[in-house]
Amino acid sequence: MKRPEQAIQRAVFDHFAARGARGVFAFHCPNGGWRSRTEAAILKGLGVRPGVPDVFAIMQGRAYGLELKAPGGALSAAQETALADLAAAGAVVAVVDSLDSAIRQLEAWGLLRGHAALATGAAQ
């Protein structure tokens, strides 16, 4: 698979659609991708910040940021900074490296209803 992080992210949002907790607002900020220098400068001036987590959710006044990595993937310096800044601002943040770990984390935060049967184990 050429883009394993995208596959994980699509599956995460499928879980939100099927069993998101009541009142959760989850989204992705499309900060990545190629931009011309002009467009990048415009977006930076409008407040785009590099390294924002792949999944952002708000529930009951609390902010959650989940950075998705393919197995063996590493955080960029911008991602490390963004996660630290979000945590310092009071957000709950985590980094995961598989769909199973993403789902477990979202369930632990109470953002998903119930417990999924994970690929690496039986229903939780």
Side-chain angles (χ1 to χ4, degrees):
M1 180 179 293
K2 290 181 119 177
R3 298 177 188 237
E5 287 179 22
Q6 283 184 5
I8 294 169
Q9 187 167 327
R10 286 179 197 276
V12 162
F13 280 95
D14 286 346
H15 277 267
F16 274 120
R19 58 192 198 95
R22 184 174 184 184
V24 69
F25 182 79
F27 59 95
H28 168 74
C29 290
N31 286 1
W34 184 87
R35 306 273 195 251
S36 70
R37 286 185 182 194
T38 301
E39 186 177 12
I42 290 168
L43 291 173
K44 184 176 180 180
L46 292 173
V48 170
R49 298 263 316 252
V52 171
D54 296 305
V55 179
F56 207 80
I58 301 169
M59 190 173 81
Q60 298 176 348
R62 189 117 206 220
Y64 301 86
L66 186 63
E67 180 60 37
L68 306 172
K69 290 291 168 197
L75 293 173
S76 69
Q79 289 168 330
E80 288 179 0
T81 298
L83 290 170
D85 289 350
L86 282 164
V92 178
V93 298
V95 180
V96 297
D97 66 356
S98 71
L99 175 58
D100 286 355
S101 58
I103 298 308
R104 278 193 299 269
Q105 184 63 68
L106 294 168
E107 289 173 349
W109 286 341
L111 300 176
L112 295 175
R113 295 184 316 262
H115 296 284
L118 302 176
T120 58
Q124 307 275 316

